[in-house]
Amino acid sequence: MSQHGQTFMRGTLVLSVAAFINRILGFVSGMYIARVLGAEGIGILMMAHPLVPLVITITELGLPVAISKLVAEAHARGEREKVRKILHVSLAVTGFLSVALTTLSLLGSEWIASILLSDQRAYYAMLAITPIAPIIAVSAVLKGYFRGMQQMKTIAASDVLEHTVQIACVLALVHLLMPFGVAYAAAGAMAASVVSEAISLLFLAASYKLYGESKRPGETWASHLKQGRSTLGELLKIGLPTTGHGVVHSLYSTFQPLLITTSLALAGIGTAAATKQFGLLAGFAFPLLFMPSFITQSLSTALIPAIGEAAANRNSLLIHERMNQAMSLGLLIGAPATIILYEWATPLTTLVYNAPEAGMLLKILAPMFFLHYFDAPLHAIMLGLGRANAMLWNYVIATAFKGVSIFVLGSQFGINGVAYGIGIGIVMQTLLNFLSISSSIGSYWSIRPYIKVGICTMLMAIGGHWIYNYALSQDMPQLWCVIASIACSLSIYIIALVLTGMLSWKGARHRFSIPW
């Protein structure tokens, strides 16, 4: 393997390990918050959050992705001054925009709350989370720089530090503010996120100060900004096409709580009950559904440049090989995750959140959410192929369809209808992206790997179901029943993969592929 390939693989591995640690830490933090605040408090928390991603998306302008690409190119050419110029121009733009938009958000907070918040108790939580936007925006720029310099360990360390601090702050602030009411406790949980992001930013800034290259005589921020028009143009040329997707996503996320609670109101559900049901969906079901996807998301980060390089060299065989490897991983991870989330839905939500009523929502979403494990690789492949515009329109169409589905089904069938509407949107988005990729590079479909994995997951489901019921009949505690049955079912799945030839250490590089 080449030195570049070794660096690429090491960076991917470091990010994957850090993502796993962060997912566990975030899950522990979320579990504590869910148990203390309850479904109603989680609903308040989820309602207060969506405006921030919109502010962050607008201020970033897609620059972190552009920074990593341009910094890597400039560093490879030995253009040290240009590396610093890229960083300084990016920090100036994101810093100014984020501070300006955050100030406007704080000044107009009461007006924003009157429009977006169906439950006004979320106002304090919204105020608490608003200052996080400039912190995240500047951190994203620094992370883009470190990615371009191939310093993945710095990014991984900052992420782990952030989640560790967040857990400590959440435990302290939620416990301290809970006696004053659930609205103040939710605001405390939001404030914990701001503190942890600030600590992470300080770590990144200190790392840059320690490891960043020294300036040349006469080189200043002012000189970089005066000569930075061409650099800004290069950044925006890459960043703006990806910003549209983020803006649409943020706008939808901002209005989704209002859309859901309005549809539930039409179904005859009161404000407090609708807030609680929204909390069951967004705060309890979604974290479990997203838990296994960190592997495919880490892979996708590395997939964009790999596909882009193959496309630039017009190596269609390599493009298909990369795509098959990514889709194989999505299949092998998504299939058992779907079985576990569907079959153990109520026991999991009971043990983790003490909310058995969220089990039905998890069971509804799990089968449709199976396609989500392919979404991140497909997203990365489209960016690597230069199909950002097609990706944006696919997302717009799927989001519009999802919004209509949520409103129609939610107003007729309550929170279960909302869950079906969200699942339908996921299915449509994945299919549209796959069709777009097929139109670009063709598709080669083989049903055999799916049949093999399907057989393996059926054996897993049957074995796990029998073991769980047997353990319950022996009066074992539910916690151990769930752990033992899931562990045994996964063992059955892995053994079945080996026996069917889907999983093999020898030649794994070739066996982990699905010819589309």
Side-chain angles (χ1 to χ4, degrees):
M1 183 182 291
S2 66
Q3 182 65 33
H4 176 74
Q6 291 175 355
T7 303
F8 168 74
M9 292 304 295
R10 282 199 300 267
T12 302
L13 179 61
V14 167
L15 290 178
S16 297
V17 172
F20 176 73
I21 295 173
N22 293 336
R23 190 62 60 94
I24 296 297
L25 292 175
F27 190 76
V28 171
S29 176
M31 182 172 63
Y32 172 77
I33 293 173
R35 283 182 169 271
V36 174
L37 298 184
E40 190 173 359
I42 291 297
I44 291 174
L45 211 60
M46 295 297 104
M47 287 180 183
H49 186 267
L51 182 64
V52 174
L54 177 61
V55 175
I56 294 172
T57 301
I58 295 174
T59 55
E60 286 183 356
L61 293 175
L63 294 183
V65 175
I67 292 166
S68 62
K69 181 179 185 298
L70 294 180
V71 165
E73 293 175 352
H75 182 68
R77 293 191 297 264
E79 299 174 355
R80 305 292 187 254
E81 184 177 352
K82 184 172 183 180
V83 169
R84 291 186 289 274
K85 184 184 294 184
I86 291 169
L87 178 62
H88 292 165
V89 170
S90 301
L91 285 173
V93 172
T94 55
F96 173 77
L97 288 176
S98 61
V99 171
L101 288 177
T102 300
T103 302
L104 289 176
S105 299
L106 290 173
L107 293 176
S109 59
E110 293 186 7
W111 177 77
I112 294 171
S114 66
I115 295 176
L116 295 181
L117 302 182
S118 57
D119 192 329
Q120 293 302 307
R121 290 178 298 174
Y123 174 69
Y124 298 109
M126 187 189 77
L127 281 182
I129 194 64
T130 300
I132 205 172
I135 299 173
I136 291 181
V138 175
S139 293
V141 169
L142 289 174
K143 287 178 181 179
Y145 165 80
F146 285 118
R147 286 193 193 96
M149 300 294 289
Q150 296 295 311
Q151 296 182 18
M152 302 301 181
K153 291 181 180 179
T154 304
I155 299 173
S158 71
D159 289 342
V160 173
L161 175 64
E162 173 195 332
H163 282 80
T164 304
V165 172
Q166 184 178 20
I167 287 181
C169 292
V170 163
L171 291 174
L173 292 176
V174 172
H175 178 74
L176 183 66
L177 295 174
M178 192 63 193
F180 297 96
V182 68
Y184 289 97
M190 288 298 200
S193 298
V194 177
V195 173
S196 62
E197 285 285 355
I199 296 296
S200 175
L201 175 58
L202 290 176
F203 175 82
L204 290 170
S207 298
Y208 176 72
K209 190 72 174 178
L210 287 173
Y211 304 115
E213 299 176 24
S214 59
K215 298 179 182 180
R216 293 179 179 179
E219 185 181 341
T220 64
W221 273 67
S223 64
H224 285 165
L225 295 180
K226 288 179 181 178
Q227 304 167 7
R229 180 173 298 180
S230 61
T231 302
L232 180 60
E234 289 182 78
L235 289 166
L236 294 179
K237 185 177 180 180
I238 301 171
L240 285 180
T242 61
T243 304
H245 179 278
V247 169
V248 174
H249 174 73
S250 299
L251 284 173
Y252 172 76
S253 298
T254 300
F255 287 98
Q256 179 179 265
L258 186 61
L259 175 66
I260 292 175
T261 52
T262 300
S263 67
L264 294 178
L266 292 176
I269 300 172
T271 300
T275 301
K276 180 178 179 180
Q277 290 187 3
F278 178 68
L280 291 174
L281 179 65
F284 295 169
F286 278 174
L288 289 171
L289 289 164
F290 283 108
M291 183 71 178
S293 62
F294 73 93
I295 297 177
T296 55
Q297 290 173 351
S298 297
L299 171 69
S300 300
T301 302
L303 193 59
I304 295 175
I307 293 291
E309 181 182 359
N313 296 327
R314 299 183 179 179
N315 191 339
S316 60
L317 184 62
L318 183 58
I319 292 176
H320 281 287
E321 181 183 344
R322 297 293 187 226
M323 178 177 174
N324 292 341
Q325 290 172 341
M327 300 302 283
S328 296
L329 188 58
L331 175 64
L332 295 174
I333 296 298
T338 300
I339 293 297
I340 291 171
L341 294 172
Y342 180 83
E343 190 159 317
W344 285 271
T346 300
L348 284 174
T349 56
T350 302
L351 289 172
V352 176
Y353 301 115
N354 194 27
E357 60 271 31
M360 179 55 67
L361 298 175
L362 184 58
K363 182 166 286 192
I364 290 171
L365 280 167
M368 293 180 284
F369 212 81
F370 169 66
L371 291 181
H372 171 77
Y373 303 109
F374 299 97
D375 183 60
L378 290 173
H379 180 96
I381 291 167
M382 292 192 70
L383 287 177
L385 292 173
R387 299 291 308 276
N389 288 334
M391 181 194 68
L392 171 60
W393 284 111
N394 289 346
Y395 183 75
V396 169
I397 293 170
T399 301
F401 193 83
K402 178 168 64 174
V404 173
S405 300
I406 288 173
F407 186 79
V408 173
L409 296 177
S411 60
Q412 294 296 318
F413 305 106
I415 193 65
N416 288 350
V418 170
Y420 278 113
I422 292 173
I424 290 171
I426 292 172
V427 172
M428 172 165 282
Q429 180 175 331
T430 305
L431 292 178
L432 287 174
N433 284 341
F434 176 71
L435 291 174
S436 295
I437 293 172
S438 299
S439 67
S440 294
I441 61 175
S443 61
Y444 303 92
W445 182 271
S446 175
I447 196 66
R448 183 179 299 177
Y450 290 93
I451 294 176
K452 289 182 178 181
V453 174
I455 293 172
C456 295
T457 51
M458 285 179 60
L459 293 173
M460 171 189 173
I462 294 170
H465 182 74
W466 184 86
I467 294 169
Y468 178 71
N469 288 333
Y470 176 78
L472 283 178
S473 68
Q474 299 301 308
D475 294 326
M476 286 179 60
Q478 189 180 44
L479 175 62
W480 293 111
C481 290
V482 171
I483 293 176
S485 57
I486 290 178
C488 290
S489 67
L490 286 173
S491 299
I492 293 171
Y493 176 70
I494 293 172
I495 293 171
L497 287 177
V498 173
L499 293 177
T500 57
M502 284 296 297
L503 186 62
S504 174
W505 180 259
K506 184 179 180 181
R509 182 177 179 182
H510 300 289
R511 289 181 182 274
F512 269 31
S513 62
I514 300 173
W516 289 84

